[in-house]
Amino acid sequence: MARKVIILGEVKDGSLRNVSFEAVAAGKTIADGGEVVGVLVGKDVAGLANEVIQYGADRVVLVEDDKLDHYTSDGYSQALMAVINEENPDGIVFGHTALGKDLAPKIATKIDSGLVSDVTAIEEVGGNLVFTRPIYSGKAFEKKIITSDKLFITIRPNNIAPLEKDDSRTGTVSSISVEIKDLRTIIKEIVRKTSEGVDLSEAKVVVAGGRGVKSASGFKPLQELADVLGGAVGASRGACDADYCDYSLQIGQTGKVVTPDLYIAVGISGAIQHLAGMSNSKVIVAINKDPEANIFKVADYGIVGDLFEVVPMLTEEFKKLLVNA
Ligand SMILES: Cc1cc2nc3c(=O)[nH]c(=O)nc-3n(C[C@H](O)[C@H](O)[C@H](O)COP(=O)(O)OP(=O)(O)OC[C@H]3O[C@@H](n4cnc5c(N)ncnc54)[C@H](O)[C@@H]3O)c2cc1C
């Protein structure tokens, strides 16, 4: 059944986040031969519209306003509601990001639709679209259908592969004008805590350190390994609590959920709360000096040894293979 689906493109530091392109791919599956409309909200975002089309959207709708320069749930919900009223889509896809997690329930309530969040796969079964999502901190999966008219989902980053980019694709770009009013919160300033680099929640490779790293400077070899692999550094809560790194790096039940292609756990014991944030990674490598550490139960590859010897050795070998190749 051909449907019209809108997907929200997410802009960070003037660029589209990867999850935007994954949302286009999810939108294509839901559209089933129908139309995928990219939506870009912000200030001066028109320059990004073509990229959304090159990744498979049929056209793009812009909502631009100075008051939308930074995300606020009031501002974005007004922008999205204007698009939904104008386009009357059959499906809506957001990323399951901090923005998507905040905005999607608000919009779903306003339009009285069902919402399946944190979707990792979409399939058609007996004429119904079935959405898979992890539950119980990733220990099980549930499959859901939506019974309301509009199919509204958020997708977990790094799970639904984007389509191949086609630079020759074209499509129309139009604007909707919305008077953004009654903002109850205004972002005055954003103070970044982490350094620039690969976004942890979208990274294909994550090198995460635990209390075994022993100090803030102990994270340096992990950063070097992550740099060689083009990845990001993460951490267990143990390492954050010990003040070895910032809480923005924390992975787990009360931190970020990541699903990279490669997760390297360094000096992390593998507590259940940590596994909740990384156990769905595609390949897990654990480095720990304790052969009984719980992390080895979820690891595809395990190295029993002292991280301060193993990590620099790995970095050197990857350098030979990747940098000097
Ligand atoms: C409500 C709640 C929520 C929580 N949420 C989270 C969460 O989101 N994320 C999270 O991570 N935790 C979370 N925790 C904490 C969790 O229970 C663990 O305490 C924490 O994950 C332990 O961190 P760790 O593995 O780094 O430290 P430890 O358990 O102390 O493990 C350190 C590991 O390093 C190894 N090691 C030591 N030295 C070396 C060396 N030289 N070389 C190699 N290996 C070495 C040790 O063998 C050990 O296995 C939560 C806890 C609670 C109660």
Side-chain angles (χ1 to χ4, degrees), residues 76-97:
Y76 267 53
S77 59
Q78 288 175 47
L80 261 299
M81 283 309 297
V83 176
I84 291 167
N85 289 335
E86 175 96 9
E87 295 285 342
N88 191 21
D90 307 300
I92 305 172
V93 183
F94 293 177
H96 195 66
T97 57

Side-chain angles (χ1 to χ4, degrees), residues 209-214 235-239 241 250-256 266-277 287-291 293-295 303 305-308:
R211 206 156 14 212
V213 168
K214 294 197 171 58
S236 70
R237 180 157 141 187
D241 283 346
Q250 185 186 319
I251 291 165
Q253 188 182 313
T254 44
K256 292 195 167 80
V266 184
I268 293 177
S269 59
I272 188 79
Q273 297 90 352
H274 186 76
L275 302 188
I287 303 167
N288 198 302
K289 67 178 184 184
D290 174 7
N294 199 45
I295 192 75
I303 302 174
D306 186 335
L307 69 93
F308 297 103

Side-chain angles (χ1 to χ4, degrees), residues 214-226:
K214 294 197 171 58
S215 66
S217 60
F219 265 86
K220 204 164 161 257
L222 277 63
Q223 184 66 60
E224 282 163 7
L225 178 57

Side-chain angles (χ1 to χ4, degrees), residues 207-324:
V207 181
R211 206 156 14 212
V213 168
K214 294 197 171 58
S215 66
S217 60
F219 265 86
K220 204 164 161 257
L222 277 63
Q223 184 66 60
E224 282 163 7
L225 178 57
D227 288 345
V228 170
L229 296 172
V233 168
S236 70
R237 180 157 141 187
C240 300
D241 283 346
D243 217 9
Y244 301 162
C245 59
D246 192 84
Y247 278 102
S248 59
L249 300 189
Q250 185 186 319
I251 291 165
Q253 188 182 313
T254 44
K256 292 195 167 80
V257 175
V258 296
T259 41
D261 292 343
L262 174 62
Y263 188 90
I264 307 181
V266 184
I268 293 177
S269 59
I272 188 79
Q273 297 90 352
H274 186 76
L275 302 188
M278 46 63 74
S279 60
N280 289 319
S281 303
K282 291 179 189 83
V283 174
I284 298 171
V285 176
I287 303 167
N288 198 302
K289 67 178 184 184
D290 174 7
E292 302 298 323
N294 199 45
I295 192 75
F296 288 124
K297 291 191 183 138
V298 296
D300 299 284
Y301 300 94
I303 302 174
V304 179
D306 186 335
L307 69 93
F308 297 103
E309 288 168 23
V310 175
V311 173
M313 271 162 50
L314 282 177
T315 306
E316 278 316 303
E317 290 306 313
F318 279 123
K319 256 190 205 160
K320 283 186 212 154
L321 284 168
L322 300 169
V323 179
N324 303 327

Side-chain angles (χ1 to χ4, degrees), residues 62-141:
L62 307 171
V63 186
E64 292 182 296
D65 193 292
D66 285 357
K67 291 186 189 140
L68 298 170
D69 192 15
H70 297 298
Y71 173 77
T72 59
S73 108
D74 279 342
Y76 267 53
S77 59
Q78 288 175 47
L80 261 299
M81 283 309 297
V83 176
I84 291 167
N85 289 335
E86 175 96 9
E87 295 285 342
N88 191 21
D90 307 300
I92 305 172
V93 183
F94 293 177
H96 195 66
T97 57
L99 185 157
K101 284 182 214 174
D102 185 58
L103 187 62
K106 187 165 184 163
I107 301 283
T109 307
K110 282 182 189 287
I111 62 175
D112 196 21
S113 86
L115 168 67
V116 180
S117 60
D118 207 12
V119 168
T120 54
I122 307 169
E123 60 193 323
E124 197 182 312
V125 182
N128 280 320
L129 278 176
V130 178
F131 303 101
T132 303
R133 65 189 296 273
I135 51 171
Y136 304 129
S137 302
K139 286 197 281 299
F141 289 90

Side-chain angles (χ1 to χ4, degrees), residues 148-277:
S148 58
D149 291 345
K150 293 194 197 305
L151 304 176
F152 192 175
I153 64 167
T154 62
I155 57 164
R156 181 178 282 208
N158 268 343
N159 278 267
I160 295 172
L163 306 174
E164 192 109 346
K165 190 178 182 201
D166 176 357
D167 293 345
S168 66
R169 266 182 71 87
T170 54
T172 56
V173 179
S174 59
S175 290
I176 292 184
S177 149
V178 184
E179 196 201 332
I180 304 294
K181 50 187 182 203
D182 302 331
L183 292 187
R184 287 170 293 183
T185 53
I186 294 171
I187 310 286
K188 302 294 277 184
E189 188 189 4
I190 293 179
V191 181
R192 289 190 192 281
K193 280 187 136 184
T194 48
S195 57
E196 301 299 316
V198 182
D199 185 337
L200 180 57
S201 46
E202 293 201 331
K204 298 281 178 210
V205 177
V206 172
V207 181
R211 206 156 14 212
V213 168
K214 294 197 171 58
S215 66
S217 60
F219 265 86
K220 204 164 161 257
L222 277 63
Q223 184 66 60
E224 282 163 7
L225 178 57
D227 288 345
V228 170
L229 296 172
V233 168
S236 70
R237 180 157 141 187
C240 300
D241 283 346
D243 217 9
Y244 301 162
C245 59
D246 192 84
Y247 278 102
S248 59
L249 300 189
Q250 185 186 319
I251 291 165
Q253 188 182 313
T254 44
K256 292 195 167 80
V257 175
V258 296
T259 41
D261 292 343
L262 174 62
Y263 188 90
I264 307 181
V266 184
I268 293 177
S269 59
I272 188 79
Q273 297 90 352
H274 186 76
L275 302 188

